[in-house]
Amino acid sequence: MGAWELLLVGVVLLLGLAGVLVPGAPGSWLVWAAVLWWAFEEPRALSWGVLGAATATLLVAQAVRWRLRLGGHREAAVPVCPVPRLGGPGVLVELIACLLVAGAWLGAVIWG
């Protein structure tokens, strides 16, 4: 994989990281798609391992985010504004997961 393709994969990763912070944008999907693109272009054991770990990490993050969303509404006895409850911890969990995936990709590119 050439330097320009790696740069494009990195740009897609950065767009995904920014997309996590924008409501309605598919941030984690873009991060995963960038790693998938890299794994198909660099078919090695390391790249497939990073893709598998990225898939597992993002799935766990989605499950935790879903659990936070359900738990927040179930415990509320008085109606509250749903925006802080849906945004804060769930977005933070997804952002941390995407940062872990981006870091794993960057480490595999540099040291792999």
Side-chain angles (χ1 to χ4, degrees), residues 11-104:
V11 167
V12 173
L13 270 167
L14 288 175
L15 286 173
L17 288 173
V20 169
L21 302 174
V22 176
S28 58
W29 282 102
L30 282 174
V31 169
W32 183 80
V35 175
L36 178 70
W37 176 19
W38 171 71
F40 275 129
E41 291 294 322
E42 291 280 330
R44 296 180 300 166
L46 178 64
S47 60
W48 292 112
V50 171
L51 178 63
T55 303
T57 302
L58 293 174
L59 284 175
V60 167
Q62 290 301 316
V64 168
R65 192 170 182 191
W66 180 70
R67 178 67 181 132
L68 286 172
R69 190 175 306 155
L70 283 180
H73 288 299
R74 193 177 307 145
E75 295 170 0
V78 178
V80 294
C81 178
V83 175
R85 233 177 240 286
L86 291 178
V91 170
L92 186 62
V93 166
E94 189 174 356
L95 181 63
I96 289 171
C98 287
L99 284 171
L100 286 172
V101 169

